[in-house]
């Protein structure tokens, strides 16, 4: 979720008055940090994943499932080992926006050994078991991107009623008690985003139109006639977006140049991975016409005023801003990729000028000046006055509330941590096997990109176009995506094109992942080419092959995405009335089945295929004691 600062949150009026103070000092802090660390090199590859989970309460007697608001009880217990021995824990636990959510990461980052790929899934299994051990009867922990009936009547345990006329959210559907209560940041953000915007956030997602679907969908267009669209599922709270779960990755690069390279090269991959990991077609108890959470979260934290959104002439605000602060990136960072920044990069010219005076090059100065068109939306009294030479909290305040597909992360001050990038688009998958597969696939791609010096960069406008296509229903199978034909792959993997007149081509996910002869070699063949020249132990080899097989088959349509599986479960349920409504009973059966798939007690051949068992092992040394073998039986 970003920077968690201890202290007393300021009111919106106090925060607003200090917005320029935070901006100016944040820029100075970045300049000072950059000067100290721009030449830092020699950091080794480290990487890690973040998986977010929902605590679900299952009531078998009444055949209901709700979210359990016990994150605040669970987290202190989950953090006991870290507090007692921070250097030797297997997992780290952090709060998330929802009072029903927790976030788990490995206790230490993984490194450059290929054998590390074989401990990812084992660590995810450990985290899930660790959290599960603290649950009450009837509770389960699930890595689902979105709870299907979030915002429906009594969707929480214990139940609370929304308060549309008071509180921080003022939602018709999402009660303030649904927000994590253990840190003031989350409620403060909720209130300040609403107050800065000048009205509640408005999320409208087109409903899936089945034969009996009612239009208007419900009475939301009468409750909020200026905000709700009759043919959409309307949501009016930050919790509908930030209450979703995702799967994220962070990479440490050897230097700032490599970090910028990874940032740029992974950006075109974001929509591809969003479509491949699609897992959230149901919102507020309705099937929708989208498969992913992205635009839901984007709208849920959209603090732009009417002026900034272009609905009124600029008078009190400086900029007309095209996107929410949660959206896809607007520019590449490496100088050689500037020519692909083909959309207007709204930025603060004074901040840009100061950054250039401070020794920051043009593309990086433009990036920071673009992030800094945003106001701070959460400030703590203890953090107003800082030492700009040694502190970075003002910089991080704005940096960490620009929630984009990629995040470029400078080293923390006085730390052994290097320059990093964060890869943020993926949706959470039901099983640890799937989450490990997606993680290992992306990490392997970073190794291939750097080793083969590949170039995936294309005009940013095409990446933006792909982001919207990626969210459409069935996008993984049915949509075409812009992709670069010649990425500079080795000629034994990709012979030169004879008719490469078009630099970019519209390709299916299958073409991009598995390749299409004469068009593109495929990401998986590129990974396999890279791995063929590496020494790898038998267990790791088998696990990685299983992971690649999952991605390969999803891309080809041999098995379905989580979103397609959820959609099929609902539409084939005997209680479904072809009206797009996911009832209490359907939701209960859906989550019971999903949990059975998660723990391996229910087979899911359409989702996972067969034989998807890795040889994951939480102990690296054991992996190296195995004899080299290619037998994956």
């Amino acid at each position: 979720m970003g920077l968690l600062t201890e202290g007393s949150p300021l009111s919106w009026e106090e925060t607003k008055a200090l917005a320029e103070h935070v901006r100016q000092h944040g820029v100075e802090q970045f300049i000072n940090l950059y000067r100290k660390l721009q030449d830092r090199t020699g950091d080794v590859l480290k990487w890690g994943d973040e998986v977010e989970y929902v605590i679900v309460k299952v009531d078998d007697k009444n055949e209901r499932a709700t979210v359990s608001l016990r994150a605040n009880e669970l987290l202190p217990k989950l953090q006991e080992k870290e507090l007692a021995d921070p250097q030797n824990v297997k997992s780290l636990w952090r709060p998330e926006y929802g009072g029903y959510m927790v976030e788990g990461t490995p206790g230490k980052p993984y490194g450059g050994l290929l054998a590390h790929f074989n401990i990812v899934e084992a660590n995810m299994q450990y985290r899930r078991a660790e959290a599960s051990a603290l649950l009450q009867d009837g509770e389960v922990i699930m890595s689902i991107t979105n709870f299907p009936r979030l915002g429906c009547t009594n969707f929480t345990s214990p139940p609370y009623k929304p308060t549309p006329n008071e509180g921080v959210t003022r939602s018709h559907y999402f009660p303030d008690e649904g927000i994590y209560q253990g840190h003031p940041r989350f409620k403060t953000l909720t209130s300040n985003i609403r107050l800065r915007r000048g009205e509640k956030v408005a999320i409208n997602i087109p409903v899936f139109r089945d034969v009996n679907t009612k239009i208007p969908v419900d009475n939301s267009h009468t409750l909020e006639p200026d905000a709700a669209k009759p043919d959409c599922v309307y949501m009016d709270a930050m919790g509908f977006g930030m209450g979703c779960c995702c799967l994220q990755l962070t990479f440490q690069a050897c230097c700032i140049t490599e970090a910028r390279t990874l940032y740029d090269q992974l950006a075109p991959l974001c929509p591809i991975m969003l479509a491949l990991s699609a897992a959230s077609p149901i919102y507020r108890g309705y099937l929708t016409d989208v498969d992913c959470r992205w635009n839901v979260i984007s709208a849920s934290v959209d603090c732009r005023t009417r002026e900034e959104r272009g609905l009124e002439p600029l008078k009190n605000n400086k900029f007309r801003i095209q996107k929410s602060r949660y959206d896809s990136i607007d520019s590449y960072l490496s100088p050689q990729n500037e020519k692909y920044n083909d959309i207007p990069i709204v930025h603060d010219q004074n901040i840009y000028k100061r950054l250039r005076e401070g020794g920051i090059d043009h593309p990086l100065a433009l990036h920071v000046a673009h992030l800094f068109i945003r106001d701070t939306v959460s400030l703590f009294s203890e953090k107003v006055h800082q030492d700009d030479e040694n502190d970075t909290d003002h910089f991080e305040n704005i940096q960490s509330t620009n929630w984009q597909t990629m995040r470029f992360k400078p080293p923390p001050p006085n730390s052994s941590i290097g320059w990093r990038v964060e890869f943020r688009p993926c949706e959470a998958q039901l099983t640890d096997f799937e989450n490990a597969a997606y993680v290992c696939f992306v990490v392997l791609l970073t190794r291939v990109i750097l080793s083969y010096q590949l170039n995936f960069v294309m005009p940013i406008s095409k990446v933006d176009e792909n982001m919207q296509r990626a969210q459409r229903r069935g996008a993984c199978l049915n949509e075409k995506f812009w992709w670069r034909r010649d990425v500079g792959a080795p000629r034994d993997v990709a012979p030169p094109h004879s008719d490469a007149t078009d630099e970019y081509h519209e390709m299916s996910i299958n073409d991009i992942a598995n390749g299409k002869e004469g068009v593109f070699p495929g990401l998986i063949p590129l990974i396999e080419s890279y791995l063929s020249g590496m020494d790898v132990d038998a267990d790791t080899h088998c696990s990685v092959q299983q992971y690649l097989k999952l991605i390969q088959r999803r891309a080809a349509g041999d098995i379905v995405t989580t979103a397609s599986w959820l959609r099929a479960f609902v539409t084939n349920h005997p209680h479904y009335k072809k009206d797009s409504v996911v009832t209490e009973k359907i939701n209960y059966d859906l989550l019971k089945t999903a949990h059975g798939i998660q723990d391996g007690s229910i087979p899911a051949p359409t989702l996972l295929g067969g034989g998807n068992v890795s040889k994951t092992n939480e102990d690296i040394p054991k992996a190296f004691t195995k004899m080299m073998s290619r037998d994956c039986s």
Side-chain angles (χ1 to χ4, degrees), residues 125-163:
Q125 291 168 350
Y126 174 85
R127 280 177 254 166
R128 199 184 291 267
E130 189 178 28
S132 297
L134 300 174
L135 300 178
Q136 295 175 349
D137 286 348
E139 286 181 338
V140 293
I141 194 153
M142 299 185 71
S143 47
I144 49 173
T145 295
N146 184 45
F147 183 79
R149 284 182 58 83
L150 201 75
C152 295
T153 305
N154 295 335
F155 74 93
T156 64
S157 286
Y160 291 98
K161 292 201 180 324
T163 52

Side-chain angles (χ1 to χ4, degrees), residues 289-304:
D289 222 26
V290 304
D291 275 1
C292 303
R293 77 200 187 287
W294 194 265
N295 284 351
V296 177
I297 311 187
S298 181
S300 80
V301 292
D302 189 356
C303 66
R304 292 175 300 161

